[in-house]
Amino acid sequence: MRVGIFGGTFDPIHLGHLIIAQEMMLHCALNRVVFMPSGEPPHKRNPEMASAKDRAMMVELAVRDYPGFAPSRFELSRPGKSYTIDTLRHWRQDMGEDTKLFLIIGADNAVDMGAWCNPKGVLDLAQVLVADRPGFDRARIDPAFKSLMRFVQTPLIDISSTAIRDRVRNKKPISLWVPEAVENYIQTHGLYV
Ligand code: ATP
């Protein structure tokens, strides 16, 4: 088994996430991509951030129609901040030796990797797959980490959760930016207004 872990705030999940996951599956022959929303920060940085429950619900609605995509509430169910290294250690143990783990990240995260907890350990536990992202130059990635990453050819997608939250706030349509079920969830629950 080749399993990709795709962590994020997913506030909300958008088509950029889904397209990147699909391309990673295709190019890296992954059997499964696990979408893992991060837990609730102890002090919400941003009062407009959706709750962990809402973010998880939207992830679940977004992936349910795609074979090979699966949601996970693993980080949500753990108290306090989850570090990627701890999450990967758990999955490594849980999955057994015949599973190869991959970690899917965008180039913005790759640029920030020096600030992660134990980045070398992360690169040791999983093959890190990087998707390019508009505005984030690969040249800014620490060469020590970069040499261990795999850059996967994915379309450059200029969609972010920030842009979607802004569009909702400004009453602009988001119907082509997120799956329909996610759009309906945002509307029904009055998120990001
Ligand atoms: P925000 O705008 O709130 O910061 P986001 O759009 O970056 O959110 P996250 O949930 O933080 O979404 O992203 C989860 C992961 O997906 C991160 O590794 C991020 O780099 C990656 N990602 C998100 N959107 C894109 C995109 N358009 N292209 C490439 N990678 C992306």
Side-chain angles (χ1 to χ4, degrees):
M1 278 284 276
R2 294 164 68 82
V3 176
I5 309 284
F6 196 5
T9 317
F10 297 121
D11 191 22
I13 189 166
H14 54 69
L15 290 185
H17 295 125
L18 296 174
I19 292 169
I20 279 154
Q22 189 176 57
E23 292 306 291
M24 293 291 183
M25 268 189 111
L26 190 70
H27 291 294
C28 306
L30 306 182
N31 302 97
R32 197 182 336 152
V33 173
V34 179
F35 289 73
M36 197 175 306
S38 57
E40 198 94 79
H43 303 288
K44 269 199 196 177
R45 287 163 292 139
N46 174 357
E48 282 161 19
M49 190 176 169
S51 68
K53 178 181 156 272
D54 284 334
R55 292 183 292 109
M57 286 297 296
M58 291 188 281
V59 166
E60 285 157 15
L61 290 168
V63 306
R64 67 179 176 190
D65 294 332
Y66 299 98
F69 287 0
S72 165
R73 292 198 177 208
F74 174 74
E75 288 196 351
L76 244 66
S77 57
R78 289 162 66 97
K81 181 166 168 43
S82 292
Y83 292 102
T84 304
I85 185 80
D86 298 329
T87 300
L88 289 176
R89 281 191 187 121
H90 165 87
W91 284 78
R92 172 74 283 142
Q93 258 192 343
D94 206 49
M95 294 257 171
E97 284 307 314
D98 53 350
T99 295
K100 186 164 168 51
L101 281 185
F102 296 82
L103 180 72
I104 300 171
I105 61 173
D108 53 319
N109 270 188
V111 166
D112 285 348
M113 203 158 185
W116 291 23
C117 173
N118 192 355
K120 286 264 187 230
V122 168
L123 286 155
D124 220 34
L125 276 172
Q127 162 81 83
V128 174
L129 306 175
V130 183
D132 277 319
R133 190 167 191 182
F136 294 91
D137 188 351
R138 280 188 201 178
R140 286 172 50 208
I141 302 172
D142 184 329
F145 304 143
K146 195 175 173 185
S147 59
L148 299 170
M149 295 169 172
R150 174 168 171 192
F151 293 84
V152 181
Q153 206 184 345
T154 53
L156 267 184
I157 306 168
D158 201 1
I159 300 183
S160 66
S161 302
T162 304
I164 290 162
R165 295 194 299 272
D166 284 348
R167 288 177 72 88
V168 174
R169 201 172 310 113
N170 292 307
K171 303 193 176 5
K172 291 184 182 164
I174 54 164
S175 50
L176 298 174
W177 298 57
V178 297
E180 194 181 351
V182 172
E183 183 192 10
N184 290 339
Y185 190 94
I186 290 171
Q187 272 176 2
T188 311
H189 293 81
L191 302 182
Y192 313 127
V193 287

